[in-house]
């Protein structure tokens, strides 16, 4: 449950949401994207009030403006990995060849080779499926990417690949809102929100990420330690 939350996320920010289990991190992502409706208050995205939209209007809004990486990956077992990434793209762009080219490019960027792209989902590891979910979230070049623990099942090398792709998307102008428990993932953000019991218990602003920086890591670690992380 979120309480007494007055929050503005600036377009083009890479906002990281941290906090203990049950703090309201995933709830915040669901509320910001219109997947959950608030019991009170309002939510505006890009000047549009989404908190009073109908379910059909919200579905259209999300299709046009939002990309999602869920904790539950939600790929379709009956489709190949590539087709899972292509499918949402065809809702926006009917040129299958163009969408497929972008899907292949994104899958390669997260480290999934051509022969794996044509496999069915049930043959893949959890890490491969999670990386494909990141590619799927980005295929439409959404205004906002909501990523809930996008590196949760990944080793350090593949975590870096995914974070590099999200960082580049942010540099290209896309807004990122990412939930994570991982310090190294959190370093990619220029703003870190720490939730506790449904409220923002702390906030840290950082310069845009430019690469590994020991001072940045020390600053973040101190911020989180002060909050009891």
């Amino acid at each position: 449950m979120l309480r007494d939350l007055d929050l503005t996320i600036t377009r083009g920010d890479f906002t990281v949401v941290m906090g203990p289990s049950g703090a309201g991190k995933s709830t915040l992502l669901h509320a910001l994207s219109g997947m959950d409706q608030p019991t009170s208050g309002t939510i505006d995205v890009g000047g549009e009030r989404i908190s009073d939209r109908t379910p059909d209007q919200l579905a259209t809004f999300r299709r046009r403006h939002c990309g999602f990486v869920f904790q539950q990956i939600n790929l379709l077992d009956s489709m190949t990995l590539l087709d899972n990434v292509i499918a949402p793209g065809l809702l926006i762009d009917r040129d299958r060849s163009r969408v497929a080219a972008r899907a292949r490019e994104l899958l390669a960027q997260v480290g999934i080779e051509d022969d794996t792209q044509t496999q069915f989902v049930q043959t893949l590891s959890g890490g491969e499926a999670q990386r494909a979910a990141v590619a799927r979230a980005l295929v439409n070049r959404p205004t906002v990417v909501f990523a809930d623990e996008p590196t949760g099942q990944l080793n350090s090398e593949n975590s870096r690949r995914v974070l590099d792709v999200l960082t580049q998307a942010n540099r290209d102008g896309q807004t990122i809102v990412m939930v994570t428990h991982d310090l190294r993932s959190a370093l990619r953000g220029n703003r870190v929100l720490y939730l506790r019991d449904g409220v923002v218990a702390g906030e840290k602003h950082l310069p845009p990420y430019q690469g590994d920086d020991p001072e940045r890591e020390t600053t973040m670690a101190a911020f989180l330690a002060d909050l009891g992380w």
Side-chain angles (χ1 to χ4, degrees):
M1 179 186 295
L2 301 173
R3 302 180 289 116
D4 302 323
L5 192 63
D6 185 2
L7 177 65
T8 299
I9 294 176
T10 302
R11 185 166 187 159
D13 271 359
F14 193 137
T15 299
V16 173
V17 184
M18 303 185 77
S21 297
K25 302 183 298 297
S26 296
T27 301
L28 177 60
L29 262 61
H30 292 169
L32 291 175
S33 62
M35 296 183 68
D36 287 345
Q37 293 288 73
T39 55
S40 63
T42 59
I43 300 170
D44 296 342
V45 179
E48 299 182 47
R49 179 147 298 173
I50 67 168
S51 47
D52 56 6
R53 297 284 183 89
T54 67
D56 285 347
Q57 288 172 333
L58 285 169
T60 300
F61 166 80
R62 286 192 293 268
R63 184 166 64 244
R64 291 176 176 169
H65 298 291
C66 302
F68 297 93
V69 184
F70 301 101
Q71 288 191 42
Q72 299 297 323
I73 296 169
N74 297 327
L75 297 178
L76 297 176
D77 290 341
S78 60
M79 299 169 63
T80 67
L81 197 61
L82 179 61
D83 284 338
N84 266 279
V85 178
I86 289 173
L90 293 176
L91 296 174
I92 301 297
D93 185 348
R94 294 296 183 180
D95 188 330
R96 183 181 175 85
S97 62
R98 184 164 53 218
V99 175
R102 174 153 173 80
R104 290 190 184 95
E105 178 185 10
L106 287 167
L107 286 167
Q109 287 174 5
V110 296
I112 296 179
E113 303 298 332
D114 289 350
D115 55 346
T116 304
Q117 294 179 16
T118 55
Q119 293 182 22
F120 284 90
V121 172
Q122 62 265 34
T123 68
L124 305 175
S125 69
E128 288 170 329
Q130 187 164 25
R131 284 182 279 150
V134 173
R136 180 184 59 185
L138 293 169
V139 71
N140 282 335
R141 294 182 175 88
T143 307
V144 187
V145 178
F146 297 99
D148 199 347
E149 298 281 4
T151 63
Q153 298 186 45
L154 304 181
N155 61 28
S156 57
E157 179 182 355
N158 286 322
S159 291
R160 178 177 285 275
R161 282 175 170 160
V162 162
L163 292 168
D164 284 347
V165 170
L166 291 174
T167 300
Q168 186 58 54
N170 180 244
R171 289 171 179 163
D172 291 341
Q174 292 170 267
T175 303
I176 311 292
V177 185
M178 180 178 75
V179 168
T180 187
H181 285 95
D182 177 57
L183 173 60
R184 296 201 65 79
S185 297
L187 295 174
R188 298 301 181 110
N190 65 284
R191 183 188 189 190
V192 180
L193 302 174
Y194 192 90
L195 295 188
R196 184 189 294 121
D197 298 327
V199 300
V200 177
E203 182 172 347
K204 188 71 176 178
H205 291 264
L206 298 166
Y209 179 82
Q210 299 297 331
D212 291 342
D213 180 354
E215 183 177 349
R216 187 184 188 90
E217 184 168 351
T218 300
T219 299
M220 267 295 298
F223 163 72
L224 293 171
D226 286 345
L227 290 162
W229 180 71

